[in-house]
Amino acid sequence: MSKYNQITESMGLQPMLIDQKDQLKEKLKEVFGYGQFRGNQAAIIKNILSGKNTFVIMPTGAGKSLCYQLPAVMLDGTAIVISPLIALMKNQVDQLNALGVNAQFLNSSLTKTEIKRVKQETIDGKVKLLYVAPESLTKPENISFLRESNLKFAAIDEAHCISEWGHDFRPEYRKIKYILEQLGKLPIIALTATATPKVKLDIQRNLQMEEADIFRSSFNRENLYYEVRSKKDIKKQLIKYVKAHHGKSGIIYCLSRKTVQEIAQFLQVNDIKAAPYHAGLDSNIRVKNQDDFLNEEIDVIVATIAFGMGIDKPDVRFVVHYDTPKSLEGYYQETGRAGRDGLEGNCLMFYSYNDIIKLDKFNKDKPVTEKENAKTLLEEMASYAESAVCRRKQLLHYFGEIYQDQNCSETKWCDNCRYPKEKFDGMNYVLTGLTAADQTKERFGIKHLTNVITGVNCQYVKSYSHNKLSVFGVGENESPELWSSVLRQSMLMGFLKKDIEHIGTLKITEKGRSFLNEPYPLELGRDHDYGKEEEHGLEDEAITRRSYDRSLFELLKGLRKKIAKQKGFPPYVIFQDPSLEEMAIIYPTTQEELSQINGVGRGKVSKFGQPFIDTIKQYVIENDITTASDVVIKSAINKSKNKIFIIQQIDRKVDLEEIAESKNMRMEVLLGEIEQICYSGTKLNLDYYVEHIMDHDRQDDLYDYFLNAQSDSITEALDELEDEGFSEEELRLMRIKFLSEFAN
Ligand code: ADP
Ligand code: ZN
């Protein structure tokens, strides 16, 4: 009987299918404390549970580990997890143990006795997840013991390490398949966050899983705010920015070790808890600085890009690129280290064209093709920084993904959407760009097309007789920069696309063809000119969109740090920030209530819950947080869930009608809930909705009224303002706005 059959049998696949979904969800809550699966997680888990090979491509922070952890917990027997870094293994094992799951690792850091114990526990079937380094896997004594164990599937984390074309090649990874074969026919789940087509193919071939089901998630990181600023007065800007994010964890990337040292020192003298990290530091110091960062002893780590691989801190709230990075791919991976827990992550890049020139100079000794490739990457970087198009749209386009929905411009979650530049009528410009591509037979790139359009009579242009084309020189009144921006925006709009066979040349798409035949009006944006541009009202206030009781949150954070120190692991192993935030919204004061918090499972309630409950209880008493919230929260958990839902929806600026509808509530009831949320101390920003239903004069009238009124009674207000014809809803909304701004 093959392993495949064993799985289906021991799990009783048939009945499992019927209510598998519920079972999975139950386990998700019970063990991990989460109420919902994210993205493809459920489908992936079902796939591996039914014994199929599974290939997962998900961006950092999307929740890959759960995809093998949960099935491992559900099955009888052991899953092996192959992972490249000892630090990563230890991290995950700590987190799983904190959840009450038996996970162990097998690597060179263990003593003989420890190894013996781990092996015995595995053979006895006690270990749910066994993490091994590829090096340990290849040892003959390990293979024989693994054959004695009841293995259920193998997870290959960071699977891109298999490929020489990825950014982190590990030769031992190429042997994994061969060894797994000796262990019986185990289903494989391979996971990675890097997904260029080349690497993907390499992974599939090497693991012989071409037939595997592939689950690819969008690379959109909704919670990350992208921003580019000029390097003008950079130190002043940096200090303001870091201070605005006071007490939060952040990474500042610099290009050179020297800058790392300098900036770390500069922050330290400005009273910021910062430390440097780069490969030139003594390894003791490096490890200490990294641990201090994980343990919240310091807030900011200033680092070269050597830092980040292998750290898995979920609550990094900002990532700053002090120098312009070398490629968009690197930039995306580095910014990806912010906000892994789904809460806000602010990504700020300082840009200067001088950096691009400097970086280009570094490449001068490279072989020709490599140099050309590096240059192309730098050009992409520069155009990303200078473009006024939504950052998100550009990044996703770079990864071959089309960002259709206008979500970013609505939520204003990048600087270009938040501070849109003036648009201009672009129809004729795009038409000229496409015509140039067409007349030159779609065999050239941006630079050449720009030369043709602006009428540059150089040798190269002449050699193709492109100076004879009708499009030659038609755009000579505009700058070459404008034309290359037009061409790039035409790519983002899907009129032109890069030809993958011939790097650097642009082809006209079908959409582009029909535009050429029948042009229609469209808008273009002008690029940034960081040299001249006024800085937009630089909001150095940390951009957040969540409402919770900040003092309670800080209190819980302190408690978490204290307990983590006693137990000897990083604070986020105890509870992650989203869970603490939720506690600071609904004030759980019993174990039952605590277990309803997202991210808090049964294991964590009994292991760590009590001191948190005690602290919240005391806080509630001291701050007299009784009134409505007590009734709402304590009477029924359901209601507090509603409360969170409402707060989240309002943070996302959803219309109140819509919220009411989705919860099947009448508007009055919803307003009642919102009032209670406000009275219990949570600040809500309803401006977006108030704007939508009332003009400014009416708002001002009501505002003045509440400012001067003796009481906040709605009945009295209705009486007083009888002649003005305000509705009760308007009054209640303005009262909420007023209370949020003043009382809280
Ligand atoms: P990745 O390995 O893809 O970078 P992780 O597995 O580290 O991501 O997960 C990122 C974060 O998301 C972790 O803090 C994890 O606890 C959290 N997470 C994963 N799945 C869920 C879920 N279904 N609901 C809420 N949080 C989740
Ligand atoms: Zn945007």
Side-chain angles (χ1 to χ4, degrees):
M1 193 171 55
S2 73
K3 291 270 170 174
Y4 172 84
N5 286 333
Q6 277 176 25
I7 283 197
T8 46
E9 215 164 72
S10 66
M11 298 205 39
L13 191 65
Q14 286 317 323
M16 189 69 195
L17 279 178
I18 298 168
D19 44 29
Q20 193 182 34
K21 213 170 153 205
D22 293 343
Q23 280 199 26
L24 291 181
K25 265 188 106 168
E26 253 168 53
K27 273 282 177 213
L28 179 70
K29 179 64 210 167
E30 180 192 319
V31 179
F32 295 89
Y34 299 130
Q36 300 292 334
F37 285 105
R38 276 194 193 159
N40 287 333
Q41 281 176 335
I44 294 166
I45 292 169
K46 276 184 222 159
N47 210 59
I48 188 76
L49 279 178
S50 58
K52 293 193 207 149
N53 285 338
T54 309
F55 189 7
V56 178
I57 304 172
M58 259 188 205
T60 307
K64 278 186 289 297
S65 4
L66 193 92
C67 298
Y68 54 83
Q69 290 174 345
L70 181 63
V73 170
M74 299 201 57
L75 292 167
D76 275 341
T78 306
I80 21 179
V81 182
I82 299 161
S83 172
L85 288 170
I86 292 180
L88 271 184
M89 280 187 216
K90 170 143 182 6
N91 208 306
Q92 286 213 10
V93 167
D94 279 350
Q95 296 199 36
L96 284 164
N97 292 343
L99 294 170
V101 174
N102 189 338
Q104 309 279 347
F105 56 77
L106 201 58
N107 61 34
S108 55
S109 74
L110 296 185
T111 63
K112 278 221 166 81
T113 340
E114 284 169 326
I115 291 180
K116 213 167 145 204
R117 177 187 53 82
V118 171
K119 286 186 175 176
Q120 197 53 51
E121 278 188 33
T122 310
I123 293 174
D124 294 346
K126 291 187 189 144
V127 177
K128 287 283 171 200
L129 292 111
L130 180 68
Y131 286 75
V132 281
E135 295 81 356
S136 314
L137 195 62
T138 41
K139 292 197 181 131
E141 70 267 25
N142 285 339
I143 296 178
S144 61
F145 118 82
L146 284 171
R147 287 169 74 126
E148 281 175 61
S149 312
N150 179 16
L151 300 181
K152 282 301 154 74
F153 66 88
I156 304 178
D157 208 0
E158 315 286 350
H160 57 272
C161 293
I162 282 183
S163 172
E164 291 165 85
W165 300 96
H167 53 78
D168 202 28
F169 177 47
R170 296 291 197 105
E172 322 83 60
Y173 254 68
R174 291 193 161 264
K175 299 188 196 139
I176 292 175
K177 175 66 187 176
Y178 169 72
I179 291 161
L180 289 182
E181 268 170 359
Q182 303 177 42
L183 301 178
K185 212 172 160 24
L186 288 181
I188 295 177
I189 173 171
L191 310 99
T192 178
T194 346
T196 61
K198 183 90 189 142
V199 174
K200 179 172 150 246
L201 192 65
D202 245 18
I203 297 174
Q204 284 174 295
R205 289 216 175 119
N206 188 274
L207 293 176
Q208 291 162 31
M209 47 191 284
E210 283 100 333
E211 89 310 339
D213 298 292
I214 300 182
F215 296 86
R216 194 191 146 102
S217 318
S218 164
F219 273 57
N220 185 16
R221 295 281 311 274
E222 271 177 21
N223 58 321
L224 298 191
Y225 181 80
Y226 299 101
E227 178 177 14
V228 179
R229 293 186 194 174
S230 137
K231 268 190 145 174
K232 249 188 305 190
D233 280 336
I234 182 164
K235 286 203 173 147
K236 203 163 118 205
Q237 291 196 60
L238 184 70
I239 233 29
K240 266 176 82 183
Y241 186 86
V242 174
K243 291 216 159 151
H245 290 84
H246 175 76
K248 298 185 178 170
S249 295
I251 307 176
I252 300 176
Y253 283 113
C254 308
L255 218 52
S256 71
R257 295 175 185 180
K258 191 169 146 264
T259 323
V260 165
Q261 289 291 6
E262 182 196 325
I263 297 304
Q265 223 171 37
F266 167 70
L267 293 176
Q268 284 160 0
V269 296
N270 279 283
D271 295 328
I272 288 162
K273 289 194 256 168
Y277 185 101
H278 60 72
L281 286 173
D282 188 67
S283 84
N284 292 333
I285 297 180
R286 217 168 55 218
V287 170
K288 176 172 187 316
N289 289 353
Q290 169 164 330
D291 284 348
D292 282 354
F293 182 59
L294 294 180
N295 297 329
E296 296 177 3
E297 300 297 335
I298 60 164
D299 295 329
V300 180
I301 195 114
V302 187
T304 54
I305 49 173
F307 183 79
M309 188 45 203
I311 78 141
D312 196 359
K313 187 169 161 58
D315 56 354
V316 173
R317 297 273 82 93
F318 62 92
V319 169
V320 174
H321 282 85
Y322 187 88
D323 297 303
T324 312
K326 275 184 247 187
S327 74
L328 269 181
E329 174 150 12
Y331 171 69
Y332 179 84
Q333 296 294 346
E334 284 138 30
T335 53
R337 290 169 193 143
R340 288 170 80 115
D341 56 12
L343 298 187
E344 93 240 13
N346 289 284
C347 310
L348 169 62
M349 183 215 293
F350 286 104
Y351 170 76
S352 119
Y353 194 71
N354 277 336
D355 278 1
I356 299 281
I357 296 172
K358 233 192 293 177
L359 286 167
D360 190 37
K361 280 194 191 135
F362 288 156
N363 295 326
K364 72 178 189 312
D365 298 327
K366 289 190 173 160
V368 181
T369 22
E370 232 179 280
K371 197 161 61 192
E372 283 305 305
N373 289 348
K375 206 183 175 84
T376 315
L377 295 179
L378 281 174
E379 275 162 11
E380 303 259 17
M381 193 69 238
S383 69
Y384 169 83
E386 287 170 20
S387 168
V389 175
C390 171
R391 306 279 179 205
R392 192 161 253 105
K393 189 166 191 159
Q394 294 187 68
L395 281 172
L396 293 178
H397 183 263
Y398 186 75
F399 288 102
E401 206 176 309
I402 301 168
Y403 184 57
Q404 289 286 17
D405 63 65
Q406 292 305 307
N407 203 11
C408 192
S409 58
E410 265 164 36
T411 52
K412 309 206 180 316
W413 221 233
C414 79
D415 56 351
N416 282 342
C417 288
R418 184 169 286 242
Y419 308 101
K421 301 233 344 168
E422 203 186 313
K423 301 270 189 217
F424 62 95
D425 177 7
M427 180 171 84
N428 288 327
Y429 289 91
V430 173
L431 200 56
T432 303
L434 295 187
T435 309
D438 190 38
Q439 293 188 355
T440 56
K441 310 227 161 30
E442 302 174 58
R443 283 171 46 207
F444 296 87
I446 291 188
K447 185 103 198 350
H448 185 74
L449 295 179
T450 303
N451 282 343
V452 172
I453 295 171
T454 53
V456 175
N457 227 335
C458 64
Q459 209 46 47
Y460 194 68
V461 169
K462 282 195 256 177
S463 71
Y464 285 97
S465 303
H466 286 165
N467 50 345
K468 308 263 163 58
L469 299 174
S470 68
V471 75
F472 181 78
V474 296
E476 63 185 359
N477 292 331
E478 303 279 4
S479 66
E481 289 78 21
L482 177 96
W483 286 109
S484 54
S485 164
V486 168
L487 289 165
R488 274 189 264 112
Q489 293 186 58
S490 305
M491 280 161 67
L492 287 169
M493 288 186 288
F495 295 132
L496 290 171
K497 64 162 193 263
K498 282 187 217 155
D499 181 351
I500 301 183
E501 301 296 329
H502 305 98
I503 299 292
T505 67
L506 294 178
K507 293 254 182 248
I508 301 173
T509 62
E510 230 169 90
K511 187 175 169 193
R513 283 278 158 218
S514 45
F515 182 85
L516 265 176
N517 293 333
E518 237 178 287
Y520 44 86
L522 46 79
E523 287 186 323
L524 293 178
R526 264 179 220 286
D527 278 6
H528 294 277
D529 181 349
Y530 291 108
K532 292 189 193 136
E533 211 161 275
E534 280 287 301
E535 297 287 343
H536 40 234
L538 293 187
E539 281 162 277
D540 275 301
E541 245 179 70
I543 297 179
T544 66
R545 43 174 173 181
R546 320 255 308 182
S547 329
Y548 53 88
D549 185 330
R550 277 168 211 274
S551 29
L552 177 57
F553 178 75
E554 290 304 327
L555 214 59
L556 297 176
K557 226 173 124 174
L559 177 64
R560 176 177 73 174
K561 186 168 161 189
K562 200 176 97 197
I563 297 175
K565 209 165 179 172
Q566 287 161 5
K567 309 239 173 199
F569 33 61
Y572 57 79
V573 171
I574 314 249
F575 292 122
Q576 296 197 2
D577 282 8
S579 306
L580 292 192
E581 281 197 14
E582 209 174 306
M583 291 178 207
I585 293 172
I586 70 167
Y587 308 99
T589 51
T590 63
Q591 295 211 340
E592 176 55 27
E593 285 166 8
L594 186 66
S595 72
Q596 299 297 320
I597 300 275
N598 216 15
V600 182
R602 203 191 41 197
K604 284 201 175 174
V605 171
S606 55
K607 271 203 161 101
F608 311 117
Q610 205 50 48
F612 287 83
I613 292 174
D614 294 343
T615 304
I616 296 168
K617 262 192 195 151
Q618 199 187 346
Y619 182 87
V620 165
I621 295 169
E622 277 171 8
N623 292 278
D624 213 10
I625 301 176
T626 42
T627 59
S629 73
D630 257 358
V631 188
V632 176
I633 293 159
K634 295 202 177 125
S635 62
I637 295 301
N638 235 354
K639 283 207 181 152
S640 60
K641 283 278 141 182
N642 266 350
K643 211 173 157 190
I644 293 174
F645 177 80
I646 293 169
I647 293 173
Q648 286 170 339
Q649 296 300 95
I650 291 178
D651 283 340
R652 283 184 204 131
K653 304 204 187 341
V654 176
D655 268 356
L656 297 191
E657 284 93 1
E658 237 174 84
I659 303 179
E661 205 172 301
S662 62
K663 280 281 153 190
N664 236 334
M665 262 179 203
R666 277 175 301 123
M667 193 63 175
E668 296 103 85
V669 180
L670 175 64
L671 283 175
E673 294 268 349
I674 296 177
E675 283 161 0
Q676 289 179 336
I677 293 169
C678 275
Y679 279 120
S680 66
T682 301
K683 209 166 166 165
L684 287 178
N685 187 346
L686 281 171
D687 289 356
Y688 70 99
Y689 184 75
V690 174
E691 287 292 318
H692 168 74
I693 62 162
M694 251 186 279
D695 65 32
H696 282 240
D697 288 347
R698 283 173 80 80
Q699 287 186 36
D700 290 346
D701 284 352
L702 283 185
Y703 212 79
D704 284 347
Y705 170 81
F706 281 116
L707 203 57
N708 300 308
Q710 297 298 314
S711 90
D712 63 0
S713 150
I714 292 290
T715 348
E716 269 177 37
L718 275 172
D719 271 356
E720 292 265 336
L721 300 166
E722 207 187 336
D723 300 338
E724 334 258 329
F726 285 107
S727 71
E728 183 173 335
E729 184 184 326
E730 285 174 318
L731 285 172
R732 287 173 74 179
L733 276 170
M734 279 310 283
R735 183 174 66 175
I736 294 167
K737 183 171 151 83
F738 184 80
L739 284 173
S740 287
E741 279 167 30
F742 283 88
N744 298 332

